[in-house]
Structures are given as C-alpha cells and as structure tokens.
Amino acid sequence: MLALLALAVEAPTSWNLQDRSIVVVSDEAGREGLVRATGGQPQPAEAPVVLVFVAQPQAWRADQADIYDQAREAGAWSDDFIAMFAAASDDFQHDLERRGLLREYAIKDAMIAATYVLLAATELGLASSPMNGWDEAAVKETVGIADRDDLAIALLVAVGYAAEERRHPGRRPVERNVFHQRYPRLPTR
C-alpha cells in the first residue's frame, strides 16, 4: 500500500500546489460508513482499503515555501523562477476564484492522483474500483472532515486483491472516442 500511496503523491498538479490529499480507510467501521455514504455500493465492504481523495480548493492560500524549497534543493527551480512562478500562480488562483472554479481545479488535481493509483494498482497486481455516486457530507463525516467546508471529496477508490478474474466489459472503438483537431459536429436527435 505504501508504494501505491507514494506513486499517488507523485502525480502532477496544477501549479505544483499539491492541493489534494488521501484518507486511507481500512477499518471496518469506516468502510461501513462509506457503504452507507455510497448508497449501499458493496466495494467499501468488500475491499480491505478505500482511498478517499480529498481536494483542497484553498491550498493556494497556504504558505508554499516547502514546495519552493524542495524545487530549489532539487535544482528544478531557480530563485528567479520561483518568484515569477509564485506571482503567476497567485494571479491564476485569484482568476479561478473570481470565476468560481477553485473547487473544480482542485478536484481535477485530486482526480489525477486517483488515476495514478488506478494505474499503479493494476501494475502492482491489485484490483481497484473508482467510485462515483456518493453523498459528500456522509463521506466527509466518515473520514472526519464534516466541519470542513474548505475541502471537497473528489473520488473514492476501493483497493484490494480481486476475488475472481475480472472480465473487461469492453470499450467503444478508438475511432468513436478520439478526434483530431476538432470535435465533430454530431447529428442532433
């Protein structure tokens, strides 16, 4: 599990804000709370672990010095770049706030981390199930953040070993889902 989580936190994030976190729910009471929060979906009860991806729309307001220090120490960013980056990032976040998009952007970043988990779980021989369709307030209550209006639930991912070989349900062909240069005009019904 530690390898899976380490890969998740390596996921890229917009402006490197790292505005997402993961709550690992493995105890029976927590997983049962997630069953209730998901309207009875069985995955939280069946899997030994459910990862709850939490988006932090207000993360940009916090001190980012540790992020900048790591980038500087790794030789990835110079002091000049950090100064430019910090100002541009702040401007970008203010623009998102004006347009009411902070939550959406943080959720997208959390979804990128969740996608890393889904891919890495497969590579590690684990089964995973991304879960959408839950009561956000109930999920927040289960993971101890019911009082945090500044946080949002992005996705739940059940992780464990498959009880049986999973059969792929199939996908539409690439030609039906991938378009070049422009989205096609589809006939209206």
Side-chain angles (χ1 to χ4, degrees):
M1 184 57 59
L2 192 54
L4 192 64
L5 296 170
L7 287 168
V9 299
E10 283 295 322
T13 70
S14 179
W15 296 97
N16 199 29
L17 284 177
Q18 303 174 45
D19 54 351
R20 72 285 190 266
S21 51
I22 304 166
V23 179
V24 179
V25 180
S26 58
D27 69 335
E28 189 173 343
R31 290 183 295 115
E32 283 302 320
L34 293 175
V35 168
R36 288 188 298 279
T38 61
Q41 294 183 50
Q43 297 95 313
E46 294 171 351
V49 174
V50 179
L51 305 177
V52 178
F53 287 81
V54 179
Q56 304 163 318
Q58 300 300 319
W60 66 284
R61 295 183 192 283
D63 181 13
Q64 304 297 320
D66 62 321
I67 292 173
Y68 301 149
D69 289 345
Q70 282 185 340
R72 184 183 299 109
E73 289 171 20
W77 295 355
S78 68
D79 286 336
D80 288 341
F81 180 83
I82 290 170
M84 178 279 303
F85 186 85
S89 174
D90 195 56
D91 288 346
F92 183 79
Q93 298 302 318
H94 278 291
D95 181 58
L96 289 177
E97 184 174 43
R98 278 190 294 277
R99 295 185 293 141
L101 296 174
L102 286 173
R103 177 183 166 96
E104 179 181 335
Y105 260 69
I107 287 175
K108 287 176 182 177
D109 276 357
M111 294 296 292
I112 293 169
T115 301
Y116 266 50
V117 163
L118 295 169
L119 293 169
T122 300
E123 183 64 26
L124 295 170
L126 297 167
S128 61
S129 178
M131 300 178 64
N132 205 351
W134 24 259
D135 178 315
E136 183 170 45
V139 173
K140 289 171 103 177
E141 176 71 33
T142 299
V143 299
I145 57 172
D147 60 337
R148 299 288 306 268
D149 291 336
D150 62 320
L151 301 175
I153 303 301
L155 193 69
L156 280 63
V157 177
V159 180
Y161 289 99
E164 58 188 43
E165 185 178 341
R166 180 180 163 210
R167 294 194 176 116
H168 193 290
R171 296 290 188 264
R172 291 180 170 150
V174 170
E175 301 80 34
R176 185 157 174 193
N177 290 299
V178 178
F179 310 104
H180 298 275
Q181 312 320 326
R182 295 179 62 91
Y183 197 85
R185 287 187 131 340
L186 301 175
T188 57
R189 294 182 193 188

